[in-house]
Each structure stands twice: as C-alpha cells, then as structure tokens.
Amino acid sequence: MRASVSAINSPDNTLPNKLVAFDNLEQLLESIDNANNLEPLGLWAPLLEQLDSEEPDLRRMAAWCVGTAVQNNEKAQERLLTHNALPKLITLATSDANEAVRRKAIYALSSAMRNFQPATDEALKTLPEEYVRDERVEAGDMQALDNIINNLREQAQPQSQSRQKGTEVEMSPK
C-alpha cells in the first residue's frame, strides 16, 4: 500500500502510472485488514489529499479508494471522520465539474454513512438542504439513506439526462 501511495504522489510519475497505482490500492483496500492499516501506515492523509487534485481522474480514484476502505468497516469510518473528509466528499458529490468524480464521491458517502451514525449525522449537517428531507436519519435505515443517495445520484447526472428523465417534449404542429 505504501508503494501505491508513493507512486500516486510522485511528481515524476505519469498519470497512467498513477491510475494503475490507484487501481492496485483500491484492490488492496477491499480487505478490511488492509483498510484498517491506512491509519497506522500514515496513508489516510496522502490519500485524502488526492481529493483536491487538479486532475479529475485522481479525484475520482481517491474517492473510489475511500469508499472501498470505509464500506462495512466501522474502524475506517471513524478514521474518515477523524480526518474531517466528509465535507470534501460532499463538495465533490454535489458540485465537481466531472460526473465520474461526483459518482465516486457519492459512493464514498454512501459507504461512510451506512450503519455508522456519526458519519450519517455529520453528512446530514453538511449536505445542502435540497438533498435532505429529514433532520434525523438512522444510519441503519437503508430506505432513508437510499433516498438521500439516490437524490445525490439524480443530481450527479449530466443536465441533458436529468431533463430527459421523465420529461416528454411537446411537439408543436408546423
């Protein structure tokens, strides 16, 4: 994992090589034990720094790795909160110019919030009002969380798809 993060952060590495390193890291993080080793190895901070990268593919891959690390992993969910990463993920999910980045940030938020009340509470405080219908949502209430996540997903679609969904265009006679 250290080698992957080192390759990702190396200014001498090409973008394709960094993406391969991110792919390798994401696969390693599928193991809960590896995800829990992010903190002792000091890798959370460099991973989260990539959420601010100017390169959309690096932001996307960082969000994907975060989502994989915290999925069904309370210890990693706690670390994510400790590093105050939810506000950044919410910003990416709601306003990044790149759709793929928005989608992976939504994945990371979904993984962080499910069955972990502190992250759910923090997200509800930080999410813009139009995404949240209830002030209090239980982290174990999958339907309520799905409603929030689905609302984020709908908003993440490109404008042309959002307008087409459920909207019929009226044709005026010539």
Side-chain angles (χ1 to χ4, degrees):
M1 289 194 318
R2 282 184 177 159
S4 292
V5 172
S6 178
I8 292 162
N9 287 319
S10 172
D12 299 328
N13 233 341
T14 65
L15 179 60
N17 286 342
K18 289 180 180 193
L19 295 177
V20 168
F22 253 130
D23 190 48
N24 292 338
L25 179 62
E26 194 276 333
Q27 289 179 30
L28 289 168
L29 293 173
E30 289 174 359
S31 161
I32 288 178
D33 290 335
N34 284 339
N36 288 337
N37 281 333
L38 284 172
E39 186 68 21
L41 294 174
L43 300 178
W44 267 114
L47 172 60
L48 295 173
E49 286 171 9
Q50 291 300 316
L51 295 173
D52 290 317
S53 174
E54 290 182 19
E55 174 56 51
D57 281 335
L58 296 180
R59 293 193 308 273
R60 173 181 57 85
M61 292 300 289
W64 191 2
C65 286
V66 168
T68 299
V70 300
Q71 189 172 39
N72 300 315
N73 184 343
E74 189 172 330
K75 189 174 180 179
Q77 289 167 320
E78 289 171 356
R79 296 284 54 93
L80 188 68
L81 276 183
T82 300
H83 287 277
N84 197 32
L86 283 183
K88 181 62 186 177
L89 288 170
I90 288 169
T91 298
L92 292 175
T94 58
S95 61
D96 196 275
N98 185 287
E99 179 189 2
V101 172
R102 292 191 306 272
R103 291 195 172 282
K104 289 303 180 188
I106 292 166
Y107 162 68
L109 285 171
S110 176
S111 295
M113 293 169 64
R114 292 186 187 277
N115 295 310
F116 188 61
Q117 196 63 49
T120 300
D121 292 342
E122 183 65 28
L124 292 174
K125 284 190 276 186
T126 311
L127 276 165
E129 198 173 283
E130 65 265 23
Y131 297 101
V132 182
R133 292 185 183 99
D134 300 317
E135 287 183 25
R136 177 79 175 148
V137 173
E138 294 299 319
D141 184 348
M142 294 303 123
Q143 183 61 51
L145 288 175
D146 284 346
N147 289 339
I148 294 168
I149 298 305
N150 288 336
N151 193 4
L152 283 165
R153 285 183 182 131
E154 286 174 19
Q155 299 297 325
Q157 292 179 3
Q159 288 293 37
S160 61
Q161 281 184 338
S162 297
R163 277 186 249 126
Q164 289 174 357
K165 190 174 184 178
T167 305
E168 292 182 22
V169 177
E170 249 182 70
M171 301 288 285
S172 57
K174 288 187 179 181

